[in-house]
Amino acid sequence: MAGDHTPKIVGTVWGLLVLNTLGSAGAKTIVPLPRSLIQMVTMGALVAAFTLALAVNLRLRIRPSAYVFLLTLLLVPSVIASAHLESGFGALFRCARLALFVGTLWLLTRWWDGGLTFVRHHIRMYFAVLGSVAAGLVISPGAALPELYGGRLVGALWPLTPPQIGQYAAVITGLTVLLVLGRRTDRGSAAVVIVPSLVLLALTHTRTATLGLLIALTLAIGSLVLTSAAARRFFAWAVVCAAVAAVGFGSALRSWFLRGQSQEHFTSLTGRQKVWDALLAAPRTTSERLFGMGLGDKSFGGLPIDNSWLAVYHEQGLTGTVIVAAFVLVLGGVALLRPPSLPRACAIFLITYCAIASYTEAGLGDASPYLLHLAVAASLLAAAPAAATPLPAPAAAPQRRVPRWAQDRR
């Protein structure tokens, strides 16, 4: 596989995976889109992604990947629990979706070589999604900032919730900053991505995405401080700007962070704590504890769980929770053991962001943007294939000395 050039169609496959994970639930759009139509588009995108990935990798050449292997193992508790149909036939459909998703990732591992190719695909695709959000805001500000969501930014062209938009904006902002520090893109191109993404992030009032961006970017830049002068300068300026913002805009930042909520509502994580307590207190059989209730819509009692670990425990049991913890720890451990580099810093950013977001967002146990973020991290941590060593040329046979009397004297 050494020397394999990444075909352009791989970027198309990645874009289709992004489309599949956008989901079908969210705010009301300017043009009403039936949920069945959205689900048809997203599922069709996944089928198309798998088909194109198979077409471009007909020989099924794959690279070993602990991350994708553990995702494959996650299918076992998912299928076992879903087969009981406690969550309905939709659970088996979600299992099939997860299997296609994982299969597509296996086919793409052929091009996981530790380079930044998939980082660039990731930024382009999610920037396009944010472009649709910005277009909806321009076309219909009322629909994009509805009172139903407290004036927070939503997708007015495609049904996207504020946490989704905040997540996409935070991830591509962090990755673009790291590319600038690593001199893999110019500042003008980076500003085109970073500035509008930060504006959209601010309009979503998404605390998890904001904290995840700040903490993950701090750790990622910290991993470059010893080897990059640009990282040291950026880190120093960031500390100064943070101190000035804390002093000069402390009250405004606090107001933005609280989003008009009471202290009690804030400390209960916007009501999430009540759902979590009820989920943990619910009676379960031994089989349900081990394998869960089957893949569902990440809700309990009609309310969103909004915690990856509890969602996995509810749907895939303790077995699924252990597998998810394993692939997060494996990626984190490999990233820590690698020498300082830009790909390592990007991987640390993505892993840290997903770990932070997992506390208030679900998605680590099913096909989701979080699994795509971690897939990019896995591609960055993959060792480049060793170049084939040319075989040494056979040594020339020593010439036999011919006696003078045997030489041809013609």
Side-chain angles (χ1 to χ4, degrees):
M1 285 183 281
D4 274 1
H5 174 70
T6 305
K8 291 183 178 180
I9 198 171
V10 170
T12 303
V13 172
W14 199 257
L16 291 170
L17 288 177
V18 168
L19 175 58
N20 173 255
T21 57
L22 292 181
S24 58
K28 294 181 179 180
T29 54
I30 299 172
V31 178
L33 300 174
R35 188 173 182 182
S36 58
L37 174 63
I38 298 174
Q39 290 176 332
M40 187 182 303
V41 171
T42 54
M43 193 60 196
L46 179 58
V47 173
F50 179 79
T51 304
L52 290 176
L54 186 60
V56 79
N57 191 5
L58 280 175
R59 295 185 180 181
L60 303 182
R61 297 167 68 183
I62 62 175
R63 291 174 56 84
S65 171
Y67 170 66
V68 186
F69 173 72
L70 289 169
L71 277 185
T72 308
L73 283 184
L74 189 61
L75 282 167
V76 176
S78 303
V79 173
I80 291 175
S82 299
H84 295 297
L85 299 180
E86 293 186 28
S87 300
F89 285 99
L92 293 178
F93 177 81
R94 291 184 178 93
C95 286
R97 175 179 176 242
L98 180 59
L100 269 181
F101 182 87
V102 175
T104 306
L105 291 183
W106 271 121
L107 293 171
L108 293 180
T109 56
R110 173 179 176 177
W111 295 280
W112 290 8
D113 57 2
L116 297 170
T117 300
F118 285 89
V119 170
R120 298 186 186 280
H121 288 325
H122 214 54
I123 293 173
R124 291 191 193 105
M125 300 310 168
Y126 280 116
F127 186 67
V129 174
L130 292 181
S132 73
V133 174
L137 177 62
V138 172
I139 295 171
S140 178
L145 300 167
E147 289 298 326
L148 179 63
Y149 283 86
R152 300 170 66 190
L153 180 65
V154 300
L157 298 181
W158 186 275
L160 297 173
T161 62
Q164 284 181 281
I165 299 170
Q167 174 198 160
Y168 307 152
V171 166
I172 69 171
T173 295
L175 290 176
T176 306
V177 168
L178 292 173
L179 289 183
V180 172
L181 294 180
R183 297 180 179 178
R184 299 301 179 90
T185 188
D186 60 273
R187 295 182 180 181
S189 300
V192 170
V193 174
I194 294 173
V195 173
S197 296
L198 288 178
V199 171
L200 296 180
L201 174 59
L203 290 175
T204 64
H205 285 254
T206 307
R207 295 179 292 233
T208 299
T210 304
L211 288 176
L213 170 63
L214 295 176
I215 297 172
L217 196 54
T218 299
L219 293 179
I221 295 175
S223 71
L224 293 172
V225 163
L226 296 178
T227 57
S228 169
R232 289 192 291 271
R233 288 194 298 270
F234 184 89
F235 192 81
W237 277 107
V239 171
V240 172
C241 292
V244 171
V247 174
F249 305 98
S251 59
L253 291 173
R254 177 181 173 82
S255 175
W256 180 90
F257 203 76
L258 288 176
R259 296 198 311 238
Q261 297 174 345
S262 65
Q263 192 68 29
E264 181 182 357
H265 200 211
F266 174 73
T267 53
S268 68
L269 297 173
T270 321
R272 291 184 177 95
Q273 191 67 49
K274 296 179 181 179
V275 179
W276 298 348
D277 292 341
L279 185 150
L280 292 173
R284 297 173 187 272
T285 64
T286 302
S287 175
E288 290 170 348
R289 287 195 186 93
L290 288 176
F291 302 111
M293 310 289 288
L295 292 183
D297 59 358
K298 313 298 176 288
S299 67
F300 179 79
L303 296 173
I305 298 174
D306 285 341
N307 180 289
S308 283
W309 304 101
L310 291 179
V312 172
Y313 170 68
H314 178 62
E315 296 185 353
Q316 291 137 310
L318 292 173
T319 306
T321 306
V322 170
I323 294 173
V324 171
F327 66 64
V328 173
L329 290 175
V330 165
L331 288 174
V334 173
L336 292 176
L337 293 175
R338 290 293 168 86
S341 66
L342 178 59
R344 175 186 183 242
C346 291
I348 288 174
F349 170 79
L350 291 168
I351 297 166
T352 304
Y353 182 88
C354 290
I356 293 171
S358 68
Y359 186 64
T360 58
E361 296 291 336
L364 287 183
D366 204 350
S368 70
Y370 292 107
L371 293 190
L372 285 182
H373 301 334
L374 292 177
V376 175
S379 75
L380 291 165
L381 297 173
T389 304
L391 295 175
Q399 287 188 339
R400 294 178 59 188
R401 184 174 178 277
V402 181
R404 293 183 61 185
W405 60 266
Q407 296 178 2
D408 189 355
R409 297 180 179 275
R410 288 180 296 173

